[in-house]
Short mmCIF file of all heavy atoms in Angstrom, two decimals:
data_model
loop_
_atom_site.label_atom_id
_atom_site.label_comp_id
_atom_site.label_asym_id
_atom_site.label_seq_id
_atom_site.Cartn_x
_atom_site.Cartn_y
_atom_site.Cartn_z
N ALA O 127 -21.56 21.80 -0.38
CA ALA O 127 -22.44 21.21 -1.37
C ALA O 127 -22.06 19.76 -1.64
O ALA O 127 -22.94 18.91 -1.85
CB ALA O 127 -22.39 22.01 -2.67
N ALA O 128 -20.75 19.45 -1.62
CA ALA O 128 -20.31 18.07 -1.90
C ALA O 128 -20.82 17.09 -0.85
O ALA O 128 -21.22 15.97 -1.17
CB ALA O 128 -18.79 18.03 -1.97
N LEU O 130 -23.57 17.41 0.86
CA LEU O 130 -25.00 17.24 0.62
C LEU O 130 -25.27 16.32 -0.56
O LEU O 130 -26.10 15.40 -0.48
CB LEU O 130 -25.65 18.60 0.36
CG LEU O 130 -25.74 19.58 1.55
CD1 LEU O 130 -26.40 20.87 1.11
CD2 LEU O 130 -26.51 18.95 2.70
N TRP O 131 -24.58 16.56 -1.68
CA TRP O 131 -24.90 15.74 -2.86
C TRP O 131 -24.39 14.31 -2.74
O TRP O 131 -25.01 13.39 -3.27
CB TRP O 131 -24.44 16.42 -4.14
CG TRP O 131 -23.02 16.19 -4.59
CD1 TRP O 131 -22.41 14.99 -4.85
CD2 TRP O 131 -22.04 17.19 -4.89
NE1 TRP O 131 -21.12 15.18 -5.29
CE2 TRP O 131 -20.87 16.52 -5.33
CE3 TRP O 131 -22.05 18.57 -4.85
CZ2 TRP O 131 -19.71 17.20 -5.71
CZ3 TRP O 131 -20.89 19.24 -5.24
CH2 TRP O 131 -19.75 18.57 -5.65
N LEU O 132 -23.29 14.09 -2.01
CA LEU O 132 -22.78 12.73 -1.86
C LEU O 132 -23.70 11.92 -0.97
O LEU O 132 -24.11 10.80 -1.33
CB LEU O 132 -21.36 12.76 -1.31
CG LEU O 132 -20.66 11.42 -1.18
CD1 LEU O 132 -20.51 10.77 -2.55
CD2 LEU O 132 -19.30 11.57 -0.50
N VAL O 133 -24.01 12.46 0.22
CA VAL O 133 -24.87 11.74 1.15
C VAL O 133 -26.28 11.58 0.57
O VAL O 133 -26.85 10.48 0.55
CB VAL O 133 -24.93 12.48 2.51
CG1 VAL O 133 -25.93 11.79 3.43
CG2 VAL O 133 -23.55 12.50 3.15
N GLY O 134 -26.84 12.67 0.04
CA GLY O 134 -28.19 12.60 -0.50
C GLY O 134 -28.30 11.74 -1.74
O GLY O 134 -29.24 10.94 -1.88
N GLY O 135 -27.34 11.85 -2.64
CA GLY O 135 -27.39 11.07 -3.87
C GLY O 135 -27.21 9.59 -3.65
O GLY O 135 -27.96 8.77 -4.18
N VAL O 136 -26.23 9.21 -2.83
CA VAL O 136 -25.97 7.79 -2.57
C VAL O 136 -27.14 7.18 -1.80
O VAL O 136 -27.61 6.06 -2.13
CB VAL O 136 -24.65 7.61 -1.82
CG1 VAL O 136 -24.48 6.16 -1.35
CG2 VAL O 136 -23.48 8.02 -2.70
N THR O 137 -27.64 7.87 -0.80
CA THR O 137 -28.77 7.36 -0.02
C THR O 137 -30.01 7.16 -0.89
O THR O 137 -30.67 6.11 -0.85
CB THR O 137 -29.10 8.30 1.14
OG1 THR O 137 -27.93 8.47 1.96
CG2 THR O 137 -30.22 7.74 1.99
N THR O 138 -30.32 8.17 -1.69
CA THR O 138 -31.48 8.06 -2.57
C THR O 138 -31.31 6.96 -3.59
O THR O 138 -32.25 6.21 -3.89
CB THR O 138 -31.71 9.40 -3.31
OG1 THR O 138 -31.85 10.45 -2.34
CG2 THR O 138 -32.95 9.34 -4.17
N GLY O 139 -30.11 6.83 -4.14
CA GLY O 139 -29.87 5.78 -5.13
C GLY O 139 -29.99 4.39 -4.56
O GLY O 139 -30.54 3.48 -5.19
N VAL O 140 -29.49 4.19 -3.33
CA VAL O 140 -29.57 2.87 -2.70
C VAL O 140 -31.03 2.50 -2.42
O VAL O 140 -31.48 1.38 -2.71
CB VAL O 140 -28.74 2.84 -1.40
CG1 VAL O 140 -29.00 1.57 -0.62
CG2 VAL O 140 -27.24 2.95 -1.73
N SER O 142 -33.72 3.66 -3.86
CA SER O 142 -34.43 3.46 -5.11
C SER O 142 -34.14 2.10 -5.72
O SER O 142 -35.02 1.44 -6.27
CB SER O 142 -34.05 4.56 -6.12
OG SER O 142 -34.48 5.82 -5.68
N SER O 154 -38.38 9.68 -7.08
CA SER O 154 -37.00 10.15 -6.86
C SER O 154 -36.23 10.21 -8.18
O SER O 154 -35.45 11.16 -8.40
CB SER O 154 -36.27 9.23 -5.88
OG SER O 154 -36.19 7.90 -6.38
N MET O 155 -36.42 9.25 -9.08
CA MET O 155 -35.73 9.30 -10.36
C MET O 155 -36.29 10.41 -11.24
O MET O 155 -35.59 10.98 -12.07
CB MET O 155 -35.83 7.95 -11.05
CG MET O 155 -34.99 6.85 -10.40
SD MET O 155 -33.23 7.25 -10.29
CE MET O 155 -33.06 7.71 -8.54
N GLY O 156 -37.60 10.71 -11.09
CA GLY O 156 -38.15 11.85 -11.82
C GLY O 156 -37.57 13.16 -11.36
O GLY O 156 -37.22 14.02 -12.18
N VAL O 157 -37.44 13.33 -10.04
CA VAL O 157 -36.79 14.52 -9.50
C VAL O 157 -35.33 14.58 -9.91
O VAL O 157 -34.80 15.66 -10.24
CB VAL O 157 -36.94 14.55 -7.97
CG1 VAL O 157 -36.15 15.72 -7.37
CG2 VAL O 157 -38.41 14.65 -7.57
N ALA O 158 -34.67 13.41 -9.93
CA ALA O 158 -33.26 13.36 -10.34
C ALA O 158 -33.12 13.80 -11.80
O ALA O 158 -32.18 14.52 -12.16
CB ALA O 158 -32.70 11.97 -10.15
N LEU O 159 -34.04 13.35 -12.65
CA LEU O 159 -33.98 13.75 -14.06
C LEU O 159 -34.17 15.25 -14.20
O LEU O 159 -33.50 15.91 -15.01
CB LEU O 159 -35.06 13.00 -14.83
CG LEU O 159 -35.11 13.28 -16.35
CD1 LEU O 159 -33.80 12.88 -17.01
CD2 LEU O 159 -36.27 12.53 -16.99
N ALA O 160 -35.08 15.83 -13.41
CA ALA O 160 -35.28 17.28 -13.44
C ALA O 160 -34.03 18.00 -12.94
O ALA O 160 -33.64 19.04 -13.50
CB ALA O 160 -36.49 17.66 -12.58
N GLY O 161 -33.39 17.48 -11.90
CA GLY O 161 -32.19 18.11 -11.38
C GLY O 161 -31.05 18.11 -12.36
O GLY O 161 -30.30 19.10 -12.47
N VAL O 162 -30.90 17.02 -13.13
CA VAL O 162 -29.84 16.97 -14.14
C VAL O 162 -30.15 17.90 -15.29
O VAL O 162 -29.25 18.49 -15.90
CB VAL O 162 -29.68 15.51 -14.64
CG1 VAL O 162 -28.71 15.45 -15.81
CG2 VAL O 162 -29.19 14.61 -13.52
N SER O 163 -31.42 18.07 -15.61
CA SER O 163 -31.82 18.85 -16.79
C SER O 163 -31.78 20.36 -16.56
O SER O 163 -31.51 21.12 -17.48
CB SER O 163 -33.24 18.45 -17.22
OG SER O 163 -33.33 17.05 -17.45
N LEU O 164 -32.06 20.81 -15.32
CA LEU O 164 -32.15 22.24 -15.05
C LEU O 164 -30.77 22.82 -14.77
O LEU O 164 -30.05 22.33 -13.90
CB LEU O 164 -33.08 22.49 -13.86
CG LEU O 164 -34.54 22.08 -14.06
CD1 LEU O 164 -35.33 22.27 -12.77
CD2 LEU O 164 -35.18 22.87 -15.19
N ILE O 166 -27.84 25.44 -13.35
CA ILE O 166 -27.69 26.07 -12.04
C ILE O 166 -28.17 27.51 -12.04
O ILE O 166 -28.78 27.97 -11.06
CB ILE O 166 -26.21 25.99 -11.60
CG1 ILE O 166 -25.85 24.53 -11.23
CG2 ILE O 166 -25.94 26.89 -10.40
CD1 ILE O 166 -24.43 24.36 -10.77
N ILE O 208 -27.52 24.12 -1.42
CA ILE O 208 -28.65 23.31 -1.92
C ILE O 208 -28.76 23.43 -3.43
O ILE O 208 -29.01 22.44 -4.14
CB ILE O 208 -29.96 23.75 -1.23
CG1 ILE O 208 -29.89 23.44 0.28
CG2 ILE O 208 -31.15 23.06 -1.85
CD1 ILE O 208 -31.09 23.94 1.06
N THR O 209 -28.58 24.62 -3.95
CA THR O 209 -28.68 24.84 -5.40
C THR O 209 -27.61 24.04 -6.15
O THR O 209 -27.90 23.38 -7.15
CB THR O 209 -28.56 26.33 -5.72
OG1 THR O 209 -29.58 27.05 -5.03
CG2 THR O 209 -28.69 26.57 -7.22
N LEU O 210 -26.37 24.13 -5.68
CA LEU O 210 -25.29 23.39 -6.33
C LEU O 210 -25.45 21.88 -6.15
O LEU O 210 -25.22 21.11 -7.08
CB LEU O 210 -23.94 23.86 -5.78
CG LEU O 210 -22.68 23.20 -6.37
CD1 LEU O 210 -22.63 23.38 -7.89
CD2 LEU O 210 -21.43 23.77 -5.72
N ALA O 211 -25.86 21.48 -4.94
CA ALA O 211 -26.02 20.04 -4.68
C ALA O 211 -27.18 19.43 -5.45
O ALA O 211 -27.15 18.24 -5.79
CB ALA O 211 -26.22 19.81 -3.17
N PHE O 212 -28.21 20.23 -5.75
CA PHE O 212 -29.39 19.69 -6.45
C PHE O 212 -29.02 19.15 -7.81
O PHE O 212 -29.55 18.13 -8.25
CB PHE O 212 -30.44 20.80 -6.60
CG PHE O 212 -31.70 20.34 -7.27
CD1 PHE O 212 -32.47 19.35 -6.72
CD2 PHE O 212 -32.10 20.91 -8.46
CE1 PHE O 212 -33.65 18.92 -7.33
CE2 PHE O 212 -33.27 20.50 -9.09
CZ PHE O 212 -34.04 19.50 -8.52
N LEU O 213 -28.07 19.80 -8.49
CA LEU O 213 -27.63 19.32 -9.79
C LEU O 213 -26.89 18.00 -9.66
O LEU O 213 -27.13 17.05 -10.42
CB LEU O 213 -26.73 20.37 -10.45
CG LEU O 213 -26.02 19.94 -11.73
CD1 LEU O 213 -27.02 19.68 -12.85
CD2 LEU O 213 -25.00 20.98 -12.17
N TYR O 214 -26.00 17.91 -8.67
CA TYR O 214 -25.14 16.72 -8.57
C TYR O 214 -25.82 15.58 -7.84
O TYR O 214 -25.53 14.41 -8.11
CB TYR O 214 -23.83 17.10 -7.87
CG TYR O 214 -22.92 17.92 -8.74
CD1 TYR O 214 -22.96 19.32 -8.72
CD2 TYR O 214 -22.03 17.33 -9.60
CE1 TYR O 214 -22.15 20.09 -9.52
CE2 TYR O 214 -21.20 18.07 -10.42
CZ TYR O 214 -21.26 19.45 -10.39
OH TYR O 214 -20.45 20.20 -11.21
N VAL O 215 -26.71 15.86 -6.90
CA VAL O 215 -27.38 14.78 -6.17
C VAL O 215 -28.22 13.94 -7.12
O VAL O 215 -28.37 12.73 -6.96
CB VAL O 215 -28.24 15.35 -5.01
CG1 VAL O 215 -29.50 16.00 -5.52
CG2 VAL O 215 -28.59 14.25 -4.01
N ALA O 216 -28.78 14.59 -8.15
CA ALA O 216 -29.56 13.86 -9.14
C ALA O 216 -28.68 12.88 -9.91
O ALA O 216 -29.03 11.72 -10.12
CB ALA O 216 -30.21 14.86 -10.10
N LEU O 217 -27.51 13.35 -10.33
CA LEU O 217 -26.59 12.50 -11.07
C LEU O 217 -26.11 11.33 -10.22
O LEU O 217 -26.05 10.18 -10.67
CB LEU O 217 -25.41 13.34 -11.56
CG LEU O 217 -24.30 12.59 -12.31
CD1 LEU O 217 -24.83 11.99 -13.59
CD2 LEU O 217 -23.14 13.55 -12.62
N TYR O 218 -25.78 11.61 -8.96
CA TYR O 218 -25.26 10.56 -8.08
C TYR O 218 -26.35 9.56 -7.71
O TYR O 218 -26.07 8.38 -7.53
CB TYR O 218 -24.66 11.18 -6.83
CG TYR O 218 -23.28 11.74 -7.04
CD1 TYR O 218 -23.07 12.85 -7.88
CD2 TYR O 218 -22.16 11.18 -6.44
CE1 TYR O 218 -21.82 13.35 -8.11
CE2 TYR O 218 -20.89 11.69 -6.67
CZ TYR O 218 -20.73 12.77 -7.51
OH TYR O 218 -19.48 13.26 -7.73
N ALA O 219 -27.57 10.02 -7.59
CA ALA O 219 -28.68 9.09 -7.29
C ALA O 219 -28.89 8.11 -8.44
O ALA O 219 -29.04 6.89 -8.23
CB ALA O 219 -29.95 9.88 -7.03
N ARG O 220 -28.87 8.60 -9.67
CA ARG O 220 -29.06 7.72 -10.82
C ARG O 220 -27.88 6.76 -10.97
O ARG O 220 -28.05 5.58 -11.28
CB ARG O 220 -29.24 8.55 -12.08
CG ARG O 220 -30.52 9.39 -12.08
CD ARG O 220 -30.61 10.27 -13.30
NE ARG O 220 -30.75 9.48 -14.52
CZ ARG O 220 -31.90 9.06 -15.01
NH1 ARG O 220 -33.04 9.36 -14.38
NH2 ARG O 220 -31.96 8.37 -16.11
N LEU O 221 -26.68 7.27 -10.75
CA LEU O 221 -25.50 6.42 -10.88
C LEU O 221 -25.46 5.35 -9.80
O LEU O 221 -25.14 4.18 -10.06
CB LEU O 221 -24.24 7.29 -10.82
CG LEU O 221 -22.90 6.59 -11.09
CD1 LEU O 221 -22.87 6.03 -12.49
CD2 LEU O 221 -21.74 7.57 -10.90
N THR O 222 -25.81 5.73 -8.56
CA THR O 222 -25.82 4.75 -7.47
C THR O 222 -26.90 3.71 -7.68
O THR O 222 -26.68 2.50 -7.44
CB THR O 222 -26.05 5.48 -6.13
OG1 THR O 222 -25.05 6.47 -5.95
CG2 THR O 222 -25.99 4.49 -4.97
N ARG O 223 -28.06 4.12 -8.15
CA ARG O 223 -29.15 3.18 -8.40
C ARG O 223 -28.74 2.14 -9.45
O ARG O 223 -28.97 0.94 -9.28
CB ARG O 223 -30.38 3.93 -8.87
CG ARG O 223 -31.59 3.04 -9.19
CD ARG O 223 -32.76 3.88 -9.68
NE ARG O 223 -33.93 3.07 -9.95
CZ ARG O 223 -34.16 2.45 -11.11
NH1 ARG O 223 -33.27 2.57 -12.11
NH2 ARG O 223 -35.26 1.72 -11.28
N ALA O 224 -28.13 2.61 -10.54
CA ALA O 224 -27.70 1.67 -11.59
C ALA O 224 -26.64 0.71 -11.07
O ALA O 224 -26.69 -0.50 -11.37
CB ALA O 224 -27.16 2.46 -12.78
N GLY O 225 -25.69 1.23 -10.30
CA GLY O 225 -24.65 0.36 -9.75
C GLY O 225 -25.19 -0.66 -8.77
O GLY O 225 -24.78 -1.82 -8.77
N MET O 226 -26.12 -0.24 -7.91
CA MET O 226 -26.69 -1.15 -6.92
C MET O 226 -27.56 -2.23 -7.59
O MET O 226 -27.54 -3.39 -7.18
CB MET O 226 -27.52 -0.37 -5.90
CG MET O 226 -26.71 0.39 -4.89
SD MET O 226 -25.75 -0.67 -3.79
CE MET O 226 -27.06 -1.50 -2.89
N ALA O 257 -20.36 -1.09 -5.36
CA ALA O 257 -20.94 -0.08 -6.27
C ALA O 257 -20.31 1.29 -6.10
O ALA O 257 -20.62 2.21 -6.86
CB ALA O 257 -22.44 0.01 -6.03
N PRO O 260 -17.35 3.51 -9.17
CA PRO O 260 -17.64 4.63 -10.10
C PRO O 260 -18.06 5.91 -9.38
O PRO O 260 -17.82 7.00 -9.88
CB PRO O 260 -18.78 4.07 -10.98
CG PRO O 260 -19.40 3.00 -10.15
CD PRO O 260 -18.30 2.39 -9.36
N ILE O 261 -18.68 5.78 -8.20
CA ILE O 261 -19.07 6.97 -7.44
C ILE O 261 -17.83 7.74 -7.01
O ILE O 261 -17.77 8.97 -7.11
CB ILE O 261 -19.91 6.56 -6.21
CG1 ILE O 261 -21.15 5.76 -6.62
CG2 ILE O 261 -20.33 7.80 -5.41
CD1 ILE O 261 -22.12 6.52 -7.45
N ILE O 262 -16.83 7.02 -6.51
CA ILE O 262 -15.60 7.67 -6.07
C ILE O 262 -14.92 8.36 -7.24
O ILE O 262 -14.39 9.48 -7.12
CB ILE O 262 -14.66 6.63 -5.41
CG1 ILE O 262 -15.28 6.13 -4.09
CG2 ILE O 262 -13.29 7.23 -5.16
CD1 ILE O 262 -14.49 5.04 -3.45
N THR O 263 -14.92 7.70 -8.40
CA THR O 263 -14.27 8.27 -9.58
C THR O 263 -14.90 9.61 -9.95
O THR O 263 -14.20 10.62 -10.11
CB THR O 263 -14.39 7.30 -10.77
OG1 THR O 263 -13.80 6.06 -10.42
CG2 THR O 263 -13.69 7.86 -11.99
N ILE O 264 -16.20 9.62 -10.11
CA ILE O 264 -16.86 10.86 -10.55
C ILE O 264 -16.86 11.92 -9.46
O ILE O 264 -16.79 13.11 -9.74
CB ILE O 264 -18.31 10.54 -11.03
CG1 ILE O 264 -18.89 11.75 -11.78
CG2 ILE O 264 -19.21 10.18 -9.86
CD1 ILE O 264 -20.21 11.46 -12.43
N PHE O 265 -16.87 11.49 -8.19
CA PHE O 265 -16.82 12.46 -7.09
C PHE O 265 -15.49 13.19 -7.08
O PHE O 265 -15.44 14.41 -6.89
CB PHE O 265 -17.06 11.76 -5.76
CG PHE O 265 -17.03 12.69 -4.58
CD1 PHE O 265 -18.07 13.56 -4.35
CD2 PHE O 265 -15.98 12.66 -3.68
CE1 PHE O 265 -18.05 14.43 -3.27
CE2 PHE O 265 -15.94 13.52 -2.60
CZ PHE O 265 -16.98 14.40 -2.38
N GLY O 266 -14.40 12.45 -7.28
CA GLY O 266 -13.10 13.09 -7.33
C GLY O 266 -12.98 14.09 -8.47
O GLY O 266 -12.45 15.20 -8.28
N MET O 267 -13.49 13.72 -9.64
CA MET O 267 -13.44 14.64 -10.79
C MET O 267 -14.30 15.88 -10.54
O MET O 267 -13.88 17.02 -10.82
CB MET O 267 -13.90 13.90 -12.04
CG MET O 267 -12.97 12.80 -12.49
SD MET O 267 -11.35 13.41 -12.99
CE MET O 267 -11.81 14.37 -14.43
N ASP O 268 -15.51 15.67 -10.03
CA ASP O 268 -16.41 16.82 -9.80
C ASP O 268 -15.84 17.75 -8.73
O ASP O 268 -15.87 18.98 -8.89
CB ASP O 268 -17.79 16.31 -9.37
CG ASP O 268 -18.54 15.64 -10.50
OD1 ASP O 268 -18.22 15.91 -11.66
OD2 ASP O 268 -19.45 14.83 -10.22
N LEU O 269 -15.35 17.17 -7.64
CA LEU O 269 -14.83 17.99 -6.55
C LEU O 269 -13.62 18.78 -7.00
O LEU O 269 -13.49 19.99 -6.73
CB LEU O 269 -14.48 17.11 -5.35
CG LEU O 269 -14.09 17.83 -4.05
CD1 LEU O 269 -15.25 18.65 -3.54
CD2 LEU O 269 -13.63 16.82 -3.00
N ALA O 271 -12.76 19.68 -10.08
CA ALA O 271 -13.13 20.69 -11.06
C ALA O 271 -13.80 21.89 -10.40
O ALA O 271 -13.51 23.05 -10.74
CB ALA O 271 -14.04 20.09 -12.11
N LEU O 272 -14.69 21.64 -9.44
CA LEU O 272 -15.40 22.74 -8.79
C LEU O 272 -14.49 23.55 -7.87
O LEU O 272 -14.68 24.76 -7.70
CB LEU O 272 -16.59 22.21 -8.00
CG LEU O 272 -17.79 21.77 -8.83
CD1 LEU O 272 -18.85 21.12 -7.95
CD2 LEU O 272 -18.38 22.95 -9.59
#
Side-chain angles (χ1 to χ4, degrees):
L130 292 180
W131 86 57
L132 184 62
V133 175
V136 171
T137 303
T138 304
V140 170
S142 295
S154 62
M155 289 302 103
V157 174
L159 182 61
V162 173
S163 305
L164 297 175
I166 288 180
I208 295 175
T209 302
L210 180 58
F212 182 61
L213 172 65
Y214 288 92
V215 74
L217 177 63
Y218 280 67
R220 295 176 66 87
L221 186 62
T222 303
R223 179 181 182 275
M226 285 295 294
I261 304 295
I262 293 175
T263 302
I264 193 172
F265 181 72
M267 293 296 294
D268 289 338
L269 188 63
L272 286 174

